[in-house]
Amino acid sequence: MSATENIETVKTMYEAFGRGDVEAILEHVTDDVDWAADAAGDAAPWWGELHGKEEATRFFSGIAGTVDVLAFEPKAFAATDDEVMTFVHYRAKVRKTGTEVDMNIHHYWRFRDGKVAQYRGSEDSAQTLAALGG
């Protein structure tokens, strides 16, 4: 796939995230996807390494069960024929504490045969941890 096609796939996945449509997201990942939020610890239910579509679902249920997403705005995309990097503005409110986070997050997507084979996400984990009450 071309860099442009891969960026379009990521944009489609982001649109599905905005709708809360996890199944539509998973249609674009390999069965053996390597999915991880790069953060030390396990304080947030979406942190850690997940393998395969079934485990990747826990990433989304962790977010949906913990925060209300107030903003998810992709700002920039960079790509090669098998990788996409994104810069996203993210704002959310933790339901349990009522605390909001407001940060820029970075996503790395590696493609294999037109589907996402690896995802890595980074965030301001200190801000997330504080908002969770940790």
Side-chain angles (χ1 to χ4, degrees), residues 6-108:
N6 291 339
I7 288 173
E8 289 305 314
T9 297
V10 172
K11 286 180 178 180
T12 298
M13 294 171 73
Y14 284 163
E15 290 167 5
F17 177 78
R19 297 188 309 271
D21 189 349
V22 175
E23 288 303 315
I25 295 168
L26 295 178
E27 289 175 12
H28 297 284
V29 305
T30 62
D31 289 339
D32 65 343
V33 67
D34 175 7
W35 193 283
D38 285 338
D42 59 2
W46 58 89
W47 289 357
E49 291 186 30
L50 304 167
H51 302 280
K53 285 184 177 184
E54 185 174 324
E55 286 188 16
T57 302
R58 292 197 323 245
F59 173 87
F60 299 104
S61 63
I63 292 171
T66 307
V67 304
D68 293 317
V69 177
L70 305 173
F72 188 87
E73 304 161 337
K75 300 293 187 181
F77 295 83
T80 66
D81 285 345
D82 62 357
E83 298 173 305
V84 175
M85 293 287 300
T86 60
F87 179 81
V88 179
H89 175 250
Y90 171 75
R91 191 166 58 88
K93 183 176 183 178
V94 176
R95 288 190 200 106
K96 181 180 173 185
T97 64
T99 305
E100 288 189 20
V101 298
D102 191 345
M103 64 182 79
N104 294 312
I105 59 179
H106 307 90
H107 294 158
Y108 167 81

